[in-house]
Amino acid sequence: MNKISDFQVKDVVNVANGKKLGHIADLEINLNTGKIDAIIIPGAGKMLGFFARENDIVIPWRNIVKIGADVILVRHMEASELNEYVKEPFDQMK
C-alpha cells in the first residue's frame, strides 16, 4: 500500500516535452467513489515565492502515464500549447 507521502517526494515529469513540473502538493478525491480524480502541483512562485503564485497545475488521474520509483510521468499540455494546437487547423483553412 502506498501513502501520499510516498508520492510527494517523486518528481512529476511531462512526457510531452520532458519538463519537470514539480512535486505533488495535493489530490482531488471524488467522495462518491473514493477514487483520486487529479493530482495538484503548485504553480511556480514569483519573486522567490514571496508574492503572487501562478495557478496550480491540475493533472487528471487519466493523464498519468506511469508511476515509477523516482518519477511520475504525466501528459500535460500547457495553455499556450493548447492554443497553438487549436489554432493550427483553422489557420490552414485560410
Side-chain angles (χ1 to χ4, degrees), residues 5 8 16-17 22 33-34 38 43 45-47 49 54 57-58 66 69 71-74 78-80 83 85-86 93:
S5 58
Q8 289 176 318
N17 58 13
T33 64
K46 294 181 181 176
M47 298 294 291
E54 295 178 14
I57 301 169
V58 179
K66 180 78 174 169
V71 298
I72 299 172
L73 301 176
V74 300
E78 294 179 12
S80 59
N83 288 339
Y85 177 78
V86 171
M93 294 175 66

Side-chain angles (χ1 to χ4, degrees), residues 29-36:
I29 299 174
N30 183 322
L31 297 178
N32 294 325
T33 64
K35 294 183 179 182
I36 299 171

Side-chain angles (χ1 to χ4, degrees), residues 39-57:
I39 59 174
I40 301 170
I41 302 161
K46 294 181 181 176
M47 298 294 291
L48 301 174
F50 293 114
F51 299 106
R53 290 175 50 164
E54 295 178 14
N55 292 334
D56 292 342
I57 301 169

